[in-house]
Amino acid sequence: MTETALVHAHPEPPQVEVARNSESLDDEDNTLRPSFIRRVTEALDADDQETVYNLVEPLHPADVADLFELIGPDYRVDLARAINDLLGSEVIAELNDYVRDDLVEDLDPDEVAELAGDMETDDAVALIQDLDEEDQQAVLAEMEPEDRAAIESALAYPEDSAGRMMSRDVIAVPEHLSVGDLIDFLREDQDLATEFWEVFIVDHKHHPVGTCALSWILRTPRSIALADVMKRDQTLIPVTMDQEEVALRFQKYALISAAVVDESGRLVGQITVDDVVHIIQEEASEDILRLSGAGDGDINEPIHLTVRTRLSWLVVNLGTAILASSVVGMFQGAIAKLALLAVLMPIVSGMGGNAGTQTLAVVVRALATNQLTSSNTIRMILREFRIALANGTTLGLMIGGGTALLFQNPLLGTVIGAAMVINNLVAGLAGILVPVTLDRLNVDPAVSSAVFVTTATDVMGFFSFLGLAVLSGLA
Amino acid sequence: MTETALVHAHPEPPQVEVARNSESLDDEDNTLRPSFIRRVTEALDADDQETVYNLVEPLHPADVADLFELIGPDYRVDLARAINDLLGSEVIAELNDYVRDDLVEDLDPDEVAELAGDMETDDAVALIQDLDEEDQQAVLAEMEPEDRAAIESALAYPEDSAGRMMSRDVIAVPEHLSVGDLIDFLREDQDLATEFWEVFIVDHKHHPVGTCALSWILRTPRSIALADVMKRDQTLIPVTMDQEEVALRFQKYALISAAVVDESGRLVGQITVDDVVHIIQEEASEDILRLSGAGDGDINEPIHLTVRTRLSWLVVNLGTAILASSVVGMFQGAIAKLALLAVLMPIVSGMGGNAGTQTLAVVVRALATNQLTSSNTIRMILREFRIALANGTTLGLMIGGGTALLFQNPLLGTVIGAAMVINNLVAGLAGILVPVTLDRLNVDPAVSSAVFVTTATDVMGFFSFLGLAVLSGLA
């Protein structure tokens, strides 16, 4: 993308930004202080745009983005109007998706096109991909042909793929160059990517053959050939690879940047670690939020969308709760005879649910981070079984002994103790078998596992306890 | 740390590693194939050390580390013996903590000292910090004085602080240098950090005054002064900052590396993003695992430790389950009269639990990522209240209407519907108030929130439903 070059051949002194570490704006968590937010909202209430501008001006773009998220929806348009030219592409790129869409909604296609033109390709794609087809076309039509081509080619790749994330700006040079040639080339060419951390060496077919960290180039005499200093082993990212796998690769091999190659092995772009950091955060957060049925759990999401997401999950759970309660319904006669059974039964089902959730959380994370693979699945199932047996036995003895003593009823104690052991085993096995099976079926285990596991522990908790109570002649 | 320099003044051709992208070893998830693991274990079973060595030799150190984790505890010592010199510091640094401790246990202090001496400071610290005091001293005594000093000074900082993570190898140069001087300096000094992405410019007190990305240096003519090309604004990391905050700062400002400063503002080291990537992953995973009471959820943890961690959480939950069941106990008379109450009550408590978990997951992540701060707490509480009201009303109408129709009992339907609304409000409010309060009290909300929220939804679920049933004269 065309971008203001950070360094010119004769650079001007860079602009001084000072606010970031200033104690007056940020608190110890590096977030904007409530007192600062209050000053901004008070100035907005007073329609004092100049004060707002002066308050916001020293902020880093990432902090301006935070400010938009923190002040609340009612102030956002006024704030945007007040700070005017401070709301540049760098701020927009840092904004939460929902907040950004809210602000961008009111802009004309040519204004969006101008913002997108100032951004890195991946940020511009993020800005444009959420627009509807018609608006997308209108914006693209207003863009420079080169930027437009870059965005269109990114949009041609699947969502969340390496092709969407990558930057097309990449330094690729032939093998025969010397270190000196390369440095001269970098000094001369003003259109190069402004952010790069390594140089990729390619053959005549544009296939990557090696890579050279900038620190190596700086430390090697000019006369040495790149072929002698480059690292031949490198991690290549296929352009269609899912972003989650890209992130795992960066993490595993401690990469700063990596070459992206198309189907024929040609270098088509690079991914840098700063984009990957967001994805690791997102993907790990997603697992918690999905496990609990909170969708993408974005606190800036419009409330009706949040309600819809959470409600659909709750309705599914209502179905499983009704299923479990119908198991209790089978034992109404026993409960009428001995109401104590109804008092104790939630303990068995609830503890199963807790144990199942523990296993589920461990397994979902291990699957997501490639620690649980087909090589060690059997070993891990046995591991969970042993843990469930140990925990179930301990809890069974505790609750069984306690019940026997408290109600002077050894048979009731035995029944609840045995049910506790059974349900812990159900919890442990469901907690690993459900997500592993879903993963094999290419269903995200974080999304749907919890329903199955909770159903299993509720149903089996009630059934084992009430069933044993009837079988043993308790009621 | 003394480390094999990646680049010499007259570099030898680097060793070619090929396995990483080889389809025969890795599957599409970039993990080792089960067939490969099987070949290794079969060779180990046959005591065929040469085959094992040849199989493992082409692997990247990160994959050798994966192999140790995947093959299971019984093979690990044999594998270590078979691959011998391939088990270098790079593999050890990549190993899971438990697996590493297992392997290192059998080594003599001088062998550990040799491994640690080959590592980056942060990896060496990770290796040594888990040893008991006596072994630590024995290992440190065997180390080179310089490495020893670096590790001892790292160990003097709190666990999980920037001081533990940082590398002391940092390129710091005075402001008056020109780009050419800097390049000459880098080419001459062979003892410099082998991995660096930016150069820090310091004043005479060794306080950072600016930073220069290597790409800028490469693209700027030799004659330009660093003072004219450096970026004066930079994010400084206090040496005592918690690693989670360090990670958030890297993420927020898209940093590749950052200067670490001591209390007096002197540059004492740098942190690079590859170390931060692990922390982001860990911290986000921790939240899921802690929310579900699975401790650190490491699948390589010895099983008795896992049982202890999970069991202690389950025992706490047993207490809350007993508390909730004692609420049911108050209504035994009503249940004996109308056993249907026992059938329906788990629906109310269970749905409250689900709704509470949704809110909890969202709030815990928003707190951890600094999106929920004191500036927007009130707004978020109101948001959760509105969501809970919408969801509770919908679910209440569904279950209330269904119950009224199915059992031809409009009063019962009204009671369960009302209880559902009440318990959803309890869930939503507890789901945000509990973690926010814990966070204010500096207690990790991920660790203890779930117990309080579940207790609230269980107790209030039973109490509201059974209480309303009695009040309304149903039983």
Side-chain angles (χ1 to χ4, degrees):
Chain A
M1 316 288 312
T2 53
E3 215 191 347
T4 318
L6 288 173
V7 176
H8 304 278
H10 296 282
E12 296 150 45
Q15 199 197 333
V16 182
E17 298 171 37
V18 289
R20 200 180 307 174
N21 291 304
S22 147
E23 279 306 308
S24 64
L25 299 175
D26 293 0
D27 63 11
E28 73 285 0
D29 278 351
N30 201 33
T31 57
L32 296 165
R33 287 179 183 280
S35 56
F36 177 81
I37 310 272
R38 212 173 311 122
R39 274 153 67 200
V40 173
T41 52
E42 279 166 9
L44 285 171
D45 284 335
D47 210 15
D48 180 359
Q49 299 205 348
E50 196 185 324
T51 303
V52 175
Y53 191 96
N54 292 336
L55 281 168
V56 175
E57 198 184 9
L59 293 184
H60 185 277
D63 285 308
V64 179
D66 276 3
L67 176 62
F68 271 100
E69 290 164 24
L70 288 172
I71 53 163
D74 301 341
Y75 285 109
R76 283 178 194 149
V77 173
D78 287 341
L79 175 60
R81 209 165 287 143
I83 67 169
N84 201 344
D85 59 312
L86 298 179
L87 184 60
S89 59
E90 289 192 332
V91 175
I92 298 278
E94 292 289 329
L95 278 177
N96 172 280
D97 288 3
Y98 294 106
V99 177
R100 189 187 57 218
D101 291 352
D102 229 31
L103 286 176
V104 169
E105 221 165 51
D106 300 329
L107 298 180
D108 291 329
D110 60 315
E111 292 172 299
V112 179
E114 200 188 319
L115 282 172
D118 288 340
M119 291 178 177
E120 304 268 348
T121 312
D122 57 329
D123 293 327
V125 167
L127 176 64
I128 288 173
Q129 68 186 358
D130 291 337
L131 300 176
D132 58 41
E133 187 61 28
E134 199 181 325
D135 290 344
Q136 250 181 39
Q137 290 309 321
V139 170
L140 286 171
E142 297 284 342
M143 295 193 74
E144 302 287 328
E146 200 184 323
D147 293 348
R148 178 187 173 142
I151 290 176
E152 283 178 339
S153 100
L155 287 172
Y157 293 111
E159 212 169 329
D160 295 341
S161 68
R164 289 267 178 119
M165 298 166 63
M166 72 184 182
S167 154
R168 273 150 197 76
D169 286 332
V170 39
I171 317 277
V173 294
E175 215 170 336
H176 61 77
L177 241 55
S178 72
V179 167
D181 295 339
L182 173 64
I183 294 180
D184 294 341
F185 166 73
L186 292 175
R187 287 212 182 112
E188 275 156 29
D189 190 334
Q190 291 302 312
D191 274 345
L192 293 174
T194 45
E195 289 274 304
F196 60 98
W197 312 100
E198 61 185 325
V199 166
F200 298 101
I201 292 103
V202 291
D203 65 15
H204 63 285
K205 287 179 175 160
H206 217 69
H207 291 186
V209 292
T211 166
C212 218
L214 298 192
S215 58
W216 306 6
I217 295 169
L218 274 172
R219 299 183 56 191
T220 305
R222 290 179 63 94
S223 57
I224 306 285
L226 283 179
D228 289 337
V229 61
M230 74 185 182
K231 186 158 147 267
R232 285 172 198 275
D233 168 48
Q234 66 179 310
T235 302
L236 301 177
I237 308 285
V239 73
T240 53
M241 181 178 256
D242 186 80
Q243 62 174 14
E244 187 165 8
E245 284 304 320
V246 174
L248 287 172
R249 246 176 225 210
F250 265 75
Q251 197 181 347
K252 182 169 180 181
Y253 299 119
L255 305 176
I256 299 295
S257 56
V260 180
V261 291
D262 66 13
E263 299 72 28
S264 59
R266 282 167 46 91
L267 178 71
V268 291
Q270 69 166 339
I271 292 175
T272 49
V273 68
D274 49 320
D275 294 320
V276 170
V277 162
H278 284 274
I279 288 160
I280 292 176
Q281 173 81 270
E282 272 171 35
E283 296 283 343
S285 289
E286 252 179 43
D287 280 349
I288 309 189
L289 297 162
R290 288 188 177 160
L291 259 184
S292 60
D296 69 358
D298 193 319
I299 61 172
N300 292 297
E301 189 180 44
I303 203 161
H304 66 277
L305 294 179
T306 306
V307 168
R308 196 193 299 162
T309 312
R310 293 204 206 166
L311 190 57
S312 54
W313 171 263
L314 291 173
V315 169
V316 172
N317 276 277
L318 182 59
T320 75
I322 291 171
L323 181 67
S325 98
S326 70
V327 173
V328 181
M330 292 158 52
F331 296 95
Q332 275 187 75
I335 290 171
K337 268 191 260 174
L338 184 63
L340 190 54
L341 294 180
V343 176
L344 296 175
M345 67 179 195
I347 298 179
V348 180
S349 63
M351 293 305 293
N354 288 328
T357 306
Q358 288 182 331
T359 306
L360 197 50
V362 172
V363 172
V364 163
R365 282 316 290 161
L367 284 170
T369 53
N370 285 344
Q371 287 188 284
L372 178 51
T373 75
S374 40
S375 307
N376 61 351
T377 302
I378 303 288
R379 185 154 61 86
M380 287 304 143
I381 293 172
L382 288 175
R383 184 173 193 274
E384 289 301 329
F385 181 81
R386 289 170 58 197
I387 294 169
L389 194 63
N391 286 346
T393 309
T394 313
L395 293 168
L397 287 173
M398 288 174 74
I399 191 72
T403 304
L405 286 174
L406 186 62
F407 301 104
Q408 294 293 313
N409 190 339
L411 183 57
L412 184 61
T414 310
V415 164
I416 195 171
M420 189 70 102
V421 176
I422 293 171
N423 208 26
N424 259 277
L425 292 177
V426 169
L429 290 176
I432 185 164
L433 292 176
V434 168
V436 164
T437 307
L438 290 173
D439 188 57
R440 291 279 166 90
L441 299 173
N442 281 319
V443 177
D444 181 350
V447 176
S448 2
S449 295
V451 176
F452 293 107
V453 174
T454 317
T455 307
T457 54
D458 276 357
V459 167
M460 282 307 297
F462 294 138
F463 188 76
S464 60
F465 176 60
L466 297 173
L468 285 174
V470 170
L471 273 183
S472 67
L474 261 177
Chain B
M1 316 290 313
T2 53
E3 214 190 349
T4 318
L6 288 173
V7 176
H8 303 276
H10 296 282
E12 295 148 45
Q15 199 198 332
V16 182
E17 297 172 38
V18 289
R20 200 180 306 175
N21 292 303
S22 148
E23 279 307 307
S24 64
L25 299 176
D26 292 0
D27 64 10
E28 71 285 2
D29 277 352
N30 201 33
T31 57
L32 296 165
R33 286 179 184 281
S35 55
F36 177 80
I37 309 273
R38 213 173 309 119
R39 276 153 67 202
V40 173
T41 52
E42 280 167 9
L44 285 170
D45 284 334
D47 209 17
D48 180 358
Q49 300 203 347
E50 198 185 326
T51 302
V52 175
Y53 191 97
N54 292 335
L55 280 168
V56 175
E57 198 183 10
L59 294 183
H60 185 278
D63 285 307
V64 179
D66 276 2
L67 177 62
F68 270 99
E69 290 165 23
L70 288 173
I71 52 162
D74 301 340
Y75 285 109
R76 282 176 195 150
V77 173
D78 288 342
L79 176 61
R81 211 166 285 145
I83 66 169
N84 200 342
D85 59 312
L86 299 178
L87 184 60
S89 59
E90 290 192 332
V91 174
I92 298 278
E94 291 291 329
L95 278 178
N96 171 281
D97 288 2
Y98 293 106
V99 177
R100 188 187 59 216
D101 290 352
D102 229 30
L103 285 176
V104 169
E105 219 165 52
D106 300 329
L107 298 179
D108 291 331
D110 60 316
E111 293 172 300
V112 178
E114 200 187 321
L115 282 172
D118 288 340
M119 291 177 175
E120 305 266 350
T121 312
D122 56 331
D123 293 326
V125 167
L127 176 64
I128 287 173
Q129 69 186 358
D130 291 337
L131 300 176
D132 58 38
E133 186 61 29
E134 198 181 325
D135 289 345
Q136 252 183 39
Q137 290 310 323
V139 170
L140 286 171
E142 296 285 340
M143 296 193 73
E144 302 286 326
E146 199 184 324
D147 293 349
R148 178 186 172 144
I151 291 175
E152 283 178 338
S153 101
L155 287 172
Y157 292 111
E159 211 169 329
D160 296 340
S161 68
R164 288 268 177 119
M165 299 166 63
M166 73 184 180
S167 154
R168 271 148 198 80
D169 285 333
V170 37
I171 316 275
V173 293
E175 216 171 335
H176 62 77
L177 243 53
S178 72
V179 167
D181 295 339
L182 173 63
I183 294 180
D184 293 342
F185 166 73
L186 292 175
R187 287 212 183 111
E188 273 156 33
D189 191 333
Q190 290 304 313
D191 274 345
L192 293 173
T194 45
E195 291 272 303
F196 60 98
W197 312 100
E198 61 185 326
V199 166
F200 298 101
I201 292 101
V202 291
D203 65 14
H204 64 283
K205 284 180 178 160
H206 217 68
H207 291 186
V209 292
T211 165
C212 217
L214 298 192
S215 58
W216 306 7
I217 295 169
L218 272 172
R219 299 183 56 191
T220 305
R222 290 179 62 95
S223 57
I224 305 285
L226 283 179
D228 290 336
V229 61
M230 73 184 185
K231 185 158 147 267
R232 285 172 198 275
D233 169 45
Q234 66 179 312
T235 302
L236 301 177
I237 307 284
V239 74
T240 52
M241 180 178 257
D242 186 80
Q243 61 173 15
E244 187 165 8
E245 284 306 320
V246 173
L248 286 172
R249 244 177 226 208
F250 265 75
Q251 195 181 348
K252 182 169 180 181
Y253 300 118
L255 306 177
I256 300 294
S257 55
V260 181
V261 290
D262 65 12
E263 298 71 30
S264 60
R266 283 168 46 92
L267 177 70
V268 289
Q270 69 167 338
I271 292 175
T272 49
V273 68
D274 50 319
D275 294 321
V276 169
V277 162
H278 284 275
I279 287 160
I280 293 176
Q281 174 80 271
E282 272 171 36
E283 297 282 344
S285 288
E286 252 179 43
D287 281 349
I288 309 187
L289 296 163
R290 289 189 177 160
L291 260 184
S292 59
D296 69 359
D298 192 318
I299 62 172
N300 292 297
E301 189 180 43
I303 202 161
H304 67 276
L305 293 180
T306 306
V307 167
R308 195 193 299 164
T309 312
R310 293 206 206 164
L311 191 57
S312 54
W313 173 262
L314 291 173
V315 169
V316 171
N317 277 276
L318 183 59
T320 75
I322 291 170
L323 181 67
S325 98
S326 71
V327 173
V328 181
M330 292 159 51
F331 297 94
Q332 275 189 75
I335 290 171
K337 271 190 257 174
L338 184 63
L340 191 53
L341 294 180
V343 176
L344 297 175
M345 69 180 193
I347 299 179
V348 180
S349 63
M351 293 305 293
N354 289 327
T357 306
Q358 289 182 331
T359 306
L360 196 50
V362 171
V363 172
V364 163
R365 282 316 291 161
L367 285 170
T369 54
N370 285 345
Q371 289 188 283
L372 178 51
T373 75
S374 39
S375 307
N376 60 352
T377 303
I378 302 288
R379 185 154 59 85
M380 287 303 142
I381 292 172
L382 288 174
R383 184 174 192 273
E384 288 302 329
F385 182 82
R386 288 170 58 198
I387 294 170
L389 193 63
N391 287 346
T393 310
T394 314
L395 293 168
L397 287 173
M398 288 173 74
I399 192 72
T403 303
L405 286 174
L406 185 64
F407 300 104
Q408 294 295 314
N409 190 337
L411 182 57
L412 183 60
T414 310
V415 165
I416 193 170
M420 190 70 103
V421 176
I422 293 171
N423 208 26
N424 259 278
L425 292 177
V426 169
L429 290 177
I432 185 163
L433 293 177
V434 169
V436 164
T437 307
L438 290 173
D439 188 57
R440 291 281 167 89
L441 301 173
N442 280 321
V443 177
D444 182 350
V447 175
S448 4
S449 294
V451 176
F452 293 107
V453 175
T454 318
T455 306
T457 55
D458 275 357
V459 167
M460 282 308 296
F462 293 138
F463 188 77
S464 60
F465 176 60
L466 297 173
L468 286 174
V470 170
L471 274 183
S472 67
L474 260 178

